[in-house]
Amino acid sequence: IATNYTENGWGLTRAPDHITQRLQQRLNRTLLEEGIIDPSGKYTYKEHYIPVIGGEEHARPLMITNAHDNREILNEMTPFFEWWSGIDLKPSIAYGIRAYRNDSNLLMHIDKPTSHVISGIYHVGRSEDAEPWPIVIEDFHGNTNQVYLTPGDILFYESSKCNHGRPQTFYGGYYASLFMHYAPASPDFDGKALLHERDLAVPPHWHVDFPPQEGLDEFEMVGTSFKEPKCKNLLCSLDDTSEQSKNTVNWYGPAPKGMIVTNGWDPETMEPPKEWVERGYDGGKRRDGNAVGIDSDNSGEEED
């Protein structure tokens, strides 16, 4: 139904240091200096129940928000997302910082086709006792990618097309990220029409529960997400006893600066293939020099 804008549906790069530090200051000020554990304030609060996020009440994520700051970061980062997607974008929303807590998980799902088209997970920080907790994303070629982010990494992904989540249970104090979403700026993009087409594509028997069939993995819908309850980590491609796990690839950050890691790179060393051609980040020059450029090494000054 919806367009594929990139070859693989996902990519990984390193965020600008000055923005990472800005977000980490917000996170640390709230969780470490103020020691907020069970907040009820306007800007720091416990997230309401969402079926896609598993866990009991004590595991509800904390939302550490600042709408003005999030909007500034979303606007400033637009050229980064245009660099990856290859199209002009309009910012939709950035929400968070969301801090997942002990015993929570995130079931596999896709996002809104109207506004969450080109997206990013900006990993801000995690507690010292946090165990590895990869983001899982299914790409356009049938691979299941487990990406182990380090603070300051950004995972690009086409979030209304690629199933993604963190179905494994998280163990640790917190794991915090900012979630960023954009839509194509082209007047030809009609998100509402895509939504209508999607609804028309749902078969009339979608809600019927069929009995288990031999040779097929059990599949269960949870709201707009899904899980495979008989498989390890609720996803058969993450279960090494399942045939589906043969197409699972593990990637380990930190990502390199100024380049985008994706299929074809070495997932452990983050090195490109020998014949790889990478233009590198152009500082937003694809907008004819009118955009705010971001130096992925350090500064956030405007570029001509």
Side-chain angles (χ1 to χ4, degrees):
I1 297 175
T3 300
N4 290 358
Y5 292 98
T6 64
E7 181 180 357
N8 301 313
W10 77 282
L12 180 67
T13 194
R14 195 72 182 160
D17 291 341
H18 71 283
I19 297 182
T20 300
Q21 293 165 6
R22 178 175 173 180
L23 289 167
Q24 288 176 340
Q25 288 173 359
R26 188 202 309 178
L27 175 68
N28 294 336
R29 183 171 60 249
T30 302
L31 294 184
L32 300 182
E33 296 178 15
E34 298 179 13
I36 294 177
I37 301 300
D38 192 11
S40 59
K42 181 178 180 182
Y43 300 109
T44 303
Y45 57 91
K46 184 187 294 185
E47 191 168 18
H48 64 277
Y49 173 74
I50 304 174
V52 69
I53 300 177
E56 301 297 328
E57 181 63 23
H58 72 275
R60 292 287 94 207
L62 301 182
M63 295 294 285
I64 304 162
T65 66
N66 184 320
H68 177 74
D69 194 42
N70 285 357
R71 174 55 63 171
E72 285 191 346
I73 292 173
L74 189 68
N75 289 337
E76 188 174 355
M77 290 293 293
T78 300
F80 256 42
F81 287 80
E82 293 178 330
W83 164 44
W84 173 62
S85 65
I87 60 172
D88 291 335
L89 298 171
K90 57 181 179 181
S92 297
I93 189 172
Y95 63 92
I97 303 170
R98 174 192 275 161
Y100 290 94
R101 297 197 284 178
N102 190 52
D103 290 334
S104 63
N105 71 339
L106 179 68
L107 296 179
M108 299 295 286
H109 65 285
I110 57 174
D111 294 338
K112 303 174 184 178
T114 53
S115 56
H116 295 37
V117 180
I118 302 297
S119 303
I121 298 173
Y122 193 139
H123 184 35
V124 179
R126 57 193 178 219
S127 58
E128 292 183 358
D129 63 348
E131 294 188 4
W133 198 42
I135 177 69
V136 180
I137 183 163
E138 297 177 350
D139 65 32
F140 293 154
H141 306 285
N143 303 302
T144 298
N145 300 282
Q146 285 198 113
V147 187
Y148 293 82
L149 303 175
T150 61
D153 284 340
I154 292 183
L155 179 83
F156 296 125
Y157 63 121
E158 295 192 41
S159 63
S160 65
K161 295 278 293 187
C162 298
N163 282 307
H164 57 279
R166 298 179 188 268
Q168 304 98 316
T169 299
F170 170 62
Y171 297 109
Y174 65 86
Y175 188 101
S177 300
L178 183 73
F179 299 85
M180 311 172 72
H181 300 284
Y182 301 82
S186 170
D188 295 330
F189 175 75
D190 189 343
K192 291 183 178 180
L194 290 174
L195 201 60
H196 183 61
E197 289 181 15
R198 183 194 65 179
D199 293 343
L200 292 176
V202 176
H205 58 274
W206 70 272
H207 62 290
V208 177
D209 290 329
F210 293 96
Q213 297 184 38
E214 185 176 352
L216 295 180
D217 297 312
E218 186 174 333
F219 184 92
E220 180 181 337
M221 292 298 299
V222 181
T224 57
S225 60
F226 71 88
K227 62 182 178 181
E228 295 173 305
K230 296 296 180 65
C231 287
K232 181 181 178 182
N233 294 319
L234 304 179
L235 191 67
C236 294
S237 57
L238 303 184
D239 188 337
D240 54 14
T241 66
S242 171
E243 178 70 13
Q244 294 189 38
S245 66
K246 67 181 182 180
N247 292 322
T248 297
V249 184
N250 296 317
W251 302 82
Y252 299 90
K257 292 183 177 181
M259 294 185 288
I260 301 174
V261 174
T262 189
N263 297 13
W265 287 57
D266 188 306
E268 294 188 5
T269 65
M270 293 291 181
E271 292 291 330
K274 292 182 179 179
E275 297 181 358
W276 186 262
V277 177
E278 173 60 67
R279 292 179 302 167
Y281 178 58
D282 65 1
K285 292 184 176 66
R286 66 179 304 281
R287 280 182 172 267
D288 297 324
N290 295 321
V292 175
I294 304 174
D295 180 349
S296 61
D297 290 326
N298 215 332
S299 71
E301 297 178 355
E302 294 189 6
E303 294 187 12
D304 295 333

